Amino acid sequence: MQHLDPDRLVLLALSEPPGPDESDHLTTCAACRHELADLRDVAGLGAETQDVRDLPAPPEHIWRAIAADIEQEQPARRSRPRWLIPVLAAAVAIVAGVAGTVLVNRAPVTARATLAPLATVPAGAGGSARVHSDGRMQVDVRNLPLTTGFHEVWLIDPDDLTRMVAIGSLTGNRDSVLAVPPGTDLRRYRLVDVSDEPHDGDATHSGRSLLRGTLTS
Amino acid sequence: MSSDDELAEQLRDGDEKALRTAYERHGGAVLHLAQRLLGNRADAEDVTQLTFVAAWKGRDGYDPGRGTMLSWLLGIARRKVVDRLRSAARDDRVAESVRAQLAPPDGRETPERVVDRLLIADELSRLPEEQRRTLELAFFDDLTHPQIAAVTGLPLGTVKSHIRRGMANLRRRWEVDGAASGSRSAGSTRAL
Ligand SMILES: [Zn+2]
């Protein structure tokens, strides 16, 4: 049996009427019928593409939501993750006025943490943190590795490590008194973190944590 | 413009810019599909967001050899739409099954029809310029081959060859990508 010419089938699919011989062949040949049906499907879809070929560009706000989700997914993927800069800026402003001004704090301690070295840090390093009822936080450290930059104290949400508040940098003394920004929920931001920060003008966490401990009341 | 192969490689390397490129290229199609299937812009935007986040998490699973990036993304979007309809059905305690919602009454289009149309539109846009314009005159303006030859000034033989090659390209893409996006795999939608 001589099948219909492929070119002819394409024409028939594009709404050219079949001749009598062609009709006869199509009624008896399932292969050609099937071929024609497929080509007609494609031609039908092709005609419908007029509605979708100039779709509007997808909106930016959806992209921002996607990008935010992805950032949350991978807090430690890059060496310099982008933390919460607005919160940080507010914290630094408060710290500037308060840090180091109080030598003895008589306000009662409401939460404390023992700071242990991370695996990459010499085992002799350590410290403690105490939060007082007036919002001041006393941080006491020992044997921290030397830094060419400075040591920064953070409060982190252990359930979402991208969420953190910068509390302030340690002074050269053993004791530093910093201020917890008002309204900080210490049940959530309960992980105290001391990091090594380079003087690079980047206000985000460097990703190099030295000590950590969890606040308990 | 980087190919799907290059884009896939950048994605696998964890390059967020590749996801951005995919969003710029195909976000409109994903949003269109979700909107057509859900009939509601807010849900459609949510599904679009979920689709690209899922694409990022599952980026190692995309194989350009098995279909275009668009077909992969539309496949993910379809599954997200189904999830959304299922949870809506649960939340509202709607008695009708998801299947009823996804298999509209006669005359309304099925999910696979929307997917196929987007895939064919994408493939059409990738064809060589002359091939594409010839097919568009046949599809949209319903012109015969001699009419197309008259309009374009191309020899009739060239018109025929463009149409034949163009149709073959579209059909191949439709078969490969339809399977990749799940639009024609083993009666998928009916079985949802
Ligand atoms: Zn035949």
Side-chain angles (χ1 to χ4, degrees):
Chain A
M1 183 164 54
Q2 175 83 38
H3 288 300
L4 294 182
D5 177 68
D7 278 347
R8 188 63 198 151
L9 278 172
V10 168
L11 272 178
L12 295 179
L14 289 167
S15 69
E16 193 125 321
D21 291 352
E22 290 169 334
S23 291
D24 286 351
H25 180 79
L26 284 169
T27 51
T28 56
C29 176
C32 282
R33 224 170 30 241
H34 184 78
E35 186 77 4
L36 181 59
D38 269 7
L39 287 166
R40 280 200 172 129
D41 271 348
V42 172
L45 286 165
E48 291 172 14
T49 60
Q50 205 162 8
D51 302 335
V52 295
R53 62 185 185 149
D54 290 316
L55 291 174
E60 269 314 296
H61 70 266
I62 302 181
W63 171 255
R64 285 197 296 273
I66 294 165
D69 281 357
I70 286 169
E71 282 299 311
Q72 297 245 329
E73 278 300 307
Q74 326 200 312
R77 191 171 56 82
R78 293 193 194 288
S79 59
R80 306 220 13 110
R82 278 158 270 168
W83 308 115
L84 292 181
I85 294 171
V87 177
L88 175 72
V92 168
I94 292 161
V95 167
V98 181
T101 59
V102 178
L103 294 176
V104 180
N105 192 335
R106 296 183 194 284
V109 171
T110 54
R112 64 182 77 232
T114 299
L115 304 178
L118 271 77
T120 53
V121 177
S128 65
R130 275 168 289 168
V131 179
H132 294 266
S133 60
D134 61 359
R136 298 209 167 115
M137 182 175 177
Q138 186 166 350
V139 181
D140 182 6
V141 294
R142 60 179 182 276
N143 301 331
L144 278 187
L146 291 176
T147 173
T148 56
F150 58 97
H151 295 122
E152 181 78 12
V153 180
W154 309 79
L155 288 176
I156 301 178
D157 176 358
D159 300 324
D160 178 355
L161 295 176
T162 66
R163 301 279 169 187
M164 59 175 63
V165 181
I167 304 301
S169 44
L170 297 178
T171 61
N173 304 323
R174 270 178 63 104
D175 282 3
S176 299
V177 178
L178 308 169
V180 176
T184 305
D185 181 356
L186 292 181
R187 281 162 305 182
R188 182 175 172 201
Y189 293 94
R190 59 188 183 276
L191 185 63
V192 181
D193 176 286
V194 177
S195 71
D196 182 356
E197 298 291 328
H199 284 296
D200 61 358
D202 185 344
T204 64
H205 195 294
S206 65
R208 287 195 300 281
S209 294
L210 303 174
L211 305 177
R212 279 191 180 170
T214 302
L215 286 173
T216 51
S217 46
Chain B
M1 177 161 135
S2 53
S3 68
D4 280 356
D5 284 341
E6 290 162 338
L7 209 52
E9 197 179 318
Q10 288 161 8
L11 259 189
R12 275 196 299 271
D13 287 348
D15 184 352
E16 286 170 29
K17 285 199 287 295
L19 190 72
R20 170 72 197 188
T21 304
Y23 180 75
E24 285 170 7
R25 246 180 238 176
H26 303 309
V30 168
L31 184 58
H32 174 86
L33 173 68
Q35 174 113 37
R36 285 307 269 258
L37 301 186
L38 292 165
N40 152 351
R41 175 78 183 190
D43 281 353
E45 292 195 354
D46 278 356
V47 160
T48 302
Q49 178 184 342
L50 292 172
T51 297
F52 280 90
V53 171
W56 177 255
K57 289 190 206 163
R59 59 191 181 273
D60 290 338
Y62 171 56
D63 174 4
R66 284 171 42 213
T68 56
M69 179 155 293
L70 175 62
S71 69
W72 178 62
L73 289 169
L74 292 178
I76 297 173
R78 277 167 55 96
R79 293 193 289 278
K80 296 295 174 194
V81 165
V82 171
D83 289 349
R84 172 69 43 129
L85 291 174
R86 280 191 177 134
S87 78
R90 255 198 316 274
D91 291 351
D92 303 344
R93 296 186 168 77
V94 172
E96 292 153 321
S97 67
V98 169
R99 180 186 145 156
Q101 296 186 53
L102 271 183
D106 288 345
R108 282 194 42 211
E109 57 190 3
T110 55
E112 66 264 31
R113 190 78 188 173
V114 186
V115 170
D116 283 351
R117 185 186 304 140
L118 290 165
L119 294 175
I120 293 280
D122 181 54
E123 185 61 20
L124 195 55
S125 74
R126 292 160 181 257
L127 294 182
E129 175 69 13
E130 229 176 60
Q131 216 178 79
R132 180 177 62 75
R133 285 194 40 227
T134 308
L135 272 182
E136 283 175 354
L137 289 169
F139 289 156
F140 305 155
D141 301 308
D142 224 4
L143 299 186
T144 63
H145 293 192
Q147 286 170 329
I148 295 172
V151 168
T152 57
L154 295 171
L156 185 59
T158 308
V159 169
K160 285 186 174 171
S161 135
H162 280 334
I163 298 253
R164 185 182 169 191
R165 289 210 186 114
M167 284 289 284
N169 282 330
L170 295 189
R171 186 183 177 185
R172 189 164 53 243
R173 177 53 62 205
W174 177 59
E175 283 166 358
V176 171
D177 265 1
S181 71
S183 95
R184 265 183 317 288
S185 59
S188 54
T189 29
R190 306 259 138 48
L192 282 174

